[in-house]
Structures are given as C-alpha cells and as structure tokens.
Amino acid sequence: MPAKQTNALINNPNAADLTEVAIYRRAIRANLDRVWENVLDWAHLPWLHESSFDYVELDEAGDWGWRTWSNAEHSGTIELCVDRANNRYVTRTYEEALQVAEIWTELEDQGEATNIRVSFLLANIRDEGKDKIGKIMLDAYTQLWDEDEAMMMQRQIRLDEPIINDGILNLGPIQNLKLPMTVRLGNKNWRLLDLDGELFVQAADCPHLRGPLEDALHKTGEIKCPWHGYRFNVDSGECVSPVEANCKLPTAPTIDYRENGTVSLIRSAT
Ligand code: FES
C-alpha cells in the first residue's frame, strides 16, 4: 500500500493553512547512505528518542516511507514519504485526519557528511506564536539529530573496521583493571564488568545494526540496546525481545587467568 496522503510529494497537497515557522540547517557527520537508513528506520524512534516519542506503533511501511500511530486510540498519525530521486522527504502529522504539520527535509551528499535543510510548516499558526513554536521545533530537531548522528557515526566506524575474528588481548594485572571498561579484540568491542566480585565480559556491539552496548544496563542477565530496544540474554547471546529478531550476541572471549596475576582475553575464530 502506498502513502495514505494523495500527492504526498508535492507541497501542501491538502491546501492547509500552513506557515513556515523555522528552517533548520546542519551538516550531519554521516554519509547519505547512513542518513537514508536512519530516515526509513521508524523502529528506533521510541527507544533512541524516548523523550520525544512516547507512543509509536507501525501502521504501514514500504519503499514509499512509513506511517505510525502516535497514540493507542489511533487518532494521531505520522506519515513520512521519501523522494529518493530528489534526496528529500516529507513528514506530515495528522490529528483526527486533520493535518497539523508538514516538514520537508532536503539532503545534500557531501561524501562523509550530509547537509540537511529542514523546513517546518505548521497549520493554523498565528503570527504572534510563530517564533515561539519555531524555537520549539529547532530545539527538538537539534536533539533528534544529535541522537541520530551519534548512532550513525558509531555504526559507520563499526562497518568500516576490517573483519578480524580471533586474537589474544593481554589486560595486565587483574588488580589494575578499572572496571567497568571497554576493550577491543578482533574487530569487536567488549565490556568488562565486575559482577559480584567476578570479572565478566560481554559484547559491546549490538548484532542488530551495531548499536553501542557499552552503557547498556546489565540487569537480571540481560542487556538492552539503546537504539531499538532489543534485549539479549548475556549468557546465551539470544535475543529475548523482540522474539522475531534474527540476531544473537557474538560469543564472548574466554578470560584467561595467569599464575603471575595477569589476565587475558582469548577469542577464537568462529
Ligand atoms: S542496533 Fe538495533 S537494537 Fe541494537
């Protein structure tokens, strides 16, 4: 099914009373592929942008973009439609079928970076409220893009790394370890923790889209990725939620305690 909005890729197809309240420009430190990937990834909204989206439920998604419900009553929707040929997309929000906003984002390929220009058009805004709502939109988008940029940059670093699966990492005297800490072995990050006085090692790269698990809380044997909220059992590596996810944490390195009091991590190619 295509977008619900007819003529979605033209300006103001509903002839709403729209006012441009602000324009946001920024150079995003991620390439165009990462940015498009992020734009189409509706599933990260309630996790990475938890403070901005309190309810997100998928209605439909396709090559054209996606549409989500904004509340459990299904009275509000957000529909994002992409215009790949022109490197732009539009996001419209609706309440009770009435259009509330139309936000156009233009993307400009800059190699390792992507320039964005966002135009915020809101319905039924009085002149005296324009600057205030414009500032709110700019602040909100600054935060959203800060959060997205950080994830895209980390994903790109991980994607660019050479594939090295095995190796030994000598960590030195065990009493000198500053836990918790993150180390690299193979081309993966590993988190070293003190769990009830025992040294414990777990994956710090999410197997879904390589989100960062360094700061994921280790709780009752599980960790949760901040990007899309996937939860993993740290012992088996299995994805606990969502159950349909087809990914698993990599096998953690073995901890090798030496007689001289030093400790190493050993990882064999799998
Ligand atoms: S990167 Fe998507 S859940 Fe971790």
Side-chain angles (χ1 to χ4, degrees):
M1 292 279 285
K4 262 192 186 161
Q5 174 67 61
T6 51
N7 297 320
L9 297 182
I10 67 170
N11 291 325
N12 198 7
N14 301 317
D17 179 13
L18 296 179
T19 302
E20 185 175 68
V21 297
I23 293 175
Y24 180 61
R25 289 187 176 85
R26 173 167 176 172
I28 301 294
R29 290 172 292 170
N31 64 34
L32 192 57
D33 286 347
R34 292 289 79 74
V35 172
W36 272 124
E37 193 176 72
N38 184 69
V39 167
L40 291 168
D41 178 20
W42 65 270
H44 76 282
L45 298 176
W47 300 100
L48 182 60
H49 307 307
E50 194 179 4
S51 61
S52 306
F53 294 88
D54 55 5
Y55 188 94
V56 179
E57 178 189 339
L58 181 65
D59 183 13
E60 282 188 59
D63 290 345
W64 57 271
W66 49 259
R67 182 172 55 256
T68 54
W69 300 111
S70 310
N71 52 42
E73 298 76 37
H74 291 187
S75 63
T77 57
I78 301 175
E79 186 171 81
L80 181 147
C81 299
V82 301
D83 181 1
R84 293 292 287 247
N86 293 302
N87 272 337
R88 62 179 195 153
Y89 61 94
V90 59
T91 312
R92 294 189 179 90
T93 55
Y94 308 83
E95 260 309 319
E96 305 287 2
L98 282 178
Q99 187 180 340
V100 177
E102 179 166 308
I103 300 171
W104 286 92
T105 303
E106 296 168 7
L107 309 173
E108 187 186 2
D109 186 357
Q110 294 288 303
E112 298 296 300
T114 305
N115 288 342
I116 62 166
R117 179 188 184 278
V118 187
S119 165
F120 303 94
L121 297 143
L122 270 65
N124 307 316
I125 294 292
R126 292 196 304 272
D127 269 356
E128 56 271 31
K130 185 181 153 195
D131 291 347
K132 189 173 173 195
I133 190 81
K135 167 91 169 53
I136 291 170
M137 299 306 291
L138 291 174
D139 288 348
Y141 266 60
T142 300
Q143 180 180 338
L144 292 173
W145 279 104
D146 280 351
E147 292 164 347
D148 284 333
E149 182 182 63
M151 284 294 164
M152 289 187 284
M153 288 173 70
Q154 294 192 59
R155 173 162 162 71
Q156 191 65 55
I157 289 168
R158 286 161 159 94
L159 288 174
D160 288 344
E161 288 166 345
I163 296 173
I164 306 165
N165 284 324
D166 57 353
I168 298 177
L169 180 66
N170 189 348
L171 298 169
I174 192 165
Q175 69 271 17
N176 291 351
L177 296 179
K178 302 255 186 292
L179 302 176
M181 63 190 286
T182 302
V183 297
R184 291 188 61 76
L185 176 58
N187 63 331
K188 290 186 166 49
N189 295 299
W190 305 95
R191 191 72 169 154
L192 286 163
L193 308 164
D194 177 343
L195 284 187
D196 301 325
E198 291 286 324
L199 186 59
F200 188 83
V201 57
Q202 67 187 34
D205 298 335
C206 179
H208 175 219
L209 289 180
R210 311 193 80 168
L213 295 175
E214 283 95 330
D215 297 324
L217 269 189
H218 184 123
K219 215 172 163 188
T220 58
E222 288 182 12
I223 50 174
K224 185 173 82 172
C225 178
W227 203 350
H228 304 90
Y230 283 24
R231 294 194 347 256
F232 299 91
N233 179 303
V234 290
D235 293 322
S236 68
E238 299 291 342
C239 184
V240 178
S241 172
V243 286
E244 67 275 15
N246 185 23
C247 56
K248 187 177 177 182
L249 293 176
T251 305
T254 306
I255 302 172
D256 183 30
Y257 298 92
R258 303 278 167 84
E259 282 181 3
N260 63 3
T262 64
V263 64
S264 300
L265 296 182
I266 302 173
R267 186 158 194 268
S268 311
T270 51

